[in-house]
Amino acid sequence: MEEVTFRRDILYGIRHGYLLDVRAERIVIPDLDLGGVDRRGGDFDDASLAEELERRHAPENVAEQYKARAAGRKGIAFWPLVETAYAGAAAFEAVGIPSAVVHGGLPKEERKNILKGFHAGTIQVIHNCMVLTEGFDEPTADV
């Protein structure tokens, strides 16, 4: 039998300066219907979610809203599939926001260069698919 001997929750991390507090802003995607998105183990199925996001032009909508609400700020976008991450990056680039994509299939040196560019500010938004998750820390990112 395993037992937890030490535990800290998110609020503890925020209150003690280990994590930043969160401020959420909602972006509504017109006609997005998550009711039709397949689920696996209680989570949305990545391919089904990506299909619905792209069908409803979510990358373009999010890019426009990012430009309106967070122009000049550095952020990380989380997408369900690599293809969706590239669609997001293209949509952001189309509205003038320098972007790049990171995913597990990128050569390590390319990923490293993208992260350096993000840190330096030449890349404003990183579009991420399953790479920058728990344990990633970039203090200059605030969106």
Side-chain angles (χ1 to χ4, degrees):
M1 179 164 98
E2 294 181 25
E3 68 180 84
V4 176
T5 58
F6 183 79
R7 183 183 309 220
R8 294 287 188 247
D9 63 13
I10 291 173
L11 287 177
Y12 176 90
I14 292 169
R15 288 180 181 141
H16 290 86
Y18 297 108
L19 300 171
L20 292 177
D21 202 355
V22 176
R23 188 182 117 227
E25 288 196 34
R26 185 177 189 173
I27 296 174
V28 176
I29 307 298
D31 300 319
L32 183 71
D33 180 12
L34 296 179
V37 174
D38 295 334
R39 292 180 180 261
R40 287 194 184 165
D43 292 327
F44 290 118
D45 174 75
D46 291 340
S48 183
L49 178 60
E51 182 180 316
E52 178 65 11
L53 290 172
E54 289 188 36
R55 187 165 64 90
R56 299 301 180 186
H57 305 285
E60 295 82 2
N61 189 294
V62 172
E64 289 290 341
Q65 290 298 313
Y66 192 100
K67 183 177 180 178
R69 299 174 186 205
R73 294 172 63 190
K74 291 168 54 177
I76 303 170
F78 296 86
W79 299 100
L81 297 178
V82 171
E83 294 81 9
T84 319
Y86 279 106
F92 275 60
E93 287 280 343
V95 297
I97 300 171
S99 296
V101 175
V102 294
H103 58 84
L106 279 182
K108 284 187 178 186
E109 193 62 30
E110 187 175 349
R111 189 182 325 161
K112 188 173 153 184
N113 288 335
I114 289 170
L115 294 176
K116 281 182 183 178
F118 184 64
H119 183 76
T122 57
I123 296 169
Q124 186 179 346
V125 177
I126 291 181
H127 298 266
N128 167 55
C129 182
M130 306 299 177
V131 173
L132 306 178
T133 56
E134 291 179 32
F136 176 72
D137 184 25
E138 177 51 62
T140 65
D142 64 349
V143 177

